[in-house]
Amino acid sequence: MNIALWIIQGLAAIGFVYSGWLKAFQYEQAKASWGWVKDVSKSFVVFIGIVELIGALGLILPQAMNIAPIWTPIAATGLAAVVLLGALFHVSRKEYREIGVNIVFFALVACIAICRF
């Protein structure tokens, strides 16, 4: 079970690092990749990206270093909230194709949050 959780944590962290990096540091590429970025302020997109990057670190580092490992499920819970709010945003814009990614990442971080608590 522990190995499976590490695999899930790694996959989720990679996804959030990719997404967060684009939003925080590659804004023009994010704008070209995701239509919704054009309709939201740049500072908000960058904020979401930074939150995702910090969350990705929180998925791995506390548990891996065995320093305050309680932060891993807390980070997963925070990322679950970010993903859920993102899905609701996409629903409000009728961007139903985008919600599939949100569902996958919500399932990953919810599993981490539940199993690591």
Side-chain angles (χ1 to χ4, degrees):
M1 182 68 164
N2 191 44
I3 292 171
L5 277 172
W6 275 113
I7 292 169
I8 293 169
Q9 284 172 244
L11 291 173
I14 289 168
F16 282 110
V17 165
Y18 172 75
S19 173
W21 187 265
L22 278 180
K23 291 171 187 156
F25 301 111
Q26 303 284 322
Y27 178 76
E28 293 303 319
Q29 188 176 349
K31 195 163 45 167
S33 299
W34 301 309
W36 64 268
V37 174
K38 297 172 191 143
D39 300 330
V40 179
S41 71
K42 180 180 179 179
S43 59
F44 187 61
V45 174
V46 171
F47 171 74
I48 295 168
I50 291 170
V51 168
E52 289 179 349
L53 289 170
I54 292 169
L57 290 174
L59 290 178
I60 301 296
L61 291 180
Q63 195 78 32
M65 299 179 77
N66 201 26
I67 299 173
I70 190 64
W71 283 104
T72 295
I74 292 170
T77 302
L79 286 171
V82 169
V83 171
L84 183 60
L85 291 170
L88 293 174
F89 175 74
H90 291 307
V91 167
S92 72
R93 293 174 46 94
K94 295 180 177 42
E95 297 172 336
Y96 301 114
R97 289 185 350 178
E98 304 288 334
I99 297 170
V101 173
N102 292 98
I103 292 170
V104 169
F105 278 96
F106 181 81
L108 291 174
V109 293
C111 177
I112 294 165
I114 291 167
C115 294
R116 289 291 187 200
F117 262 124

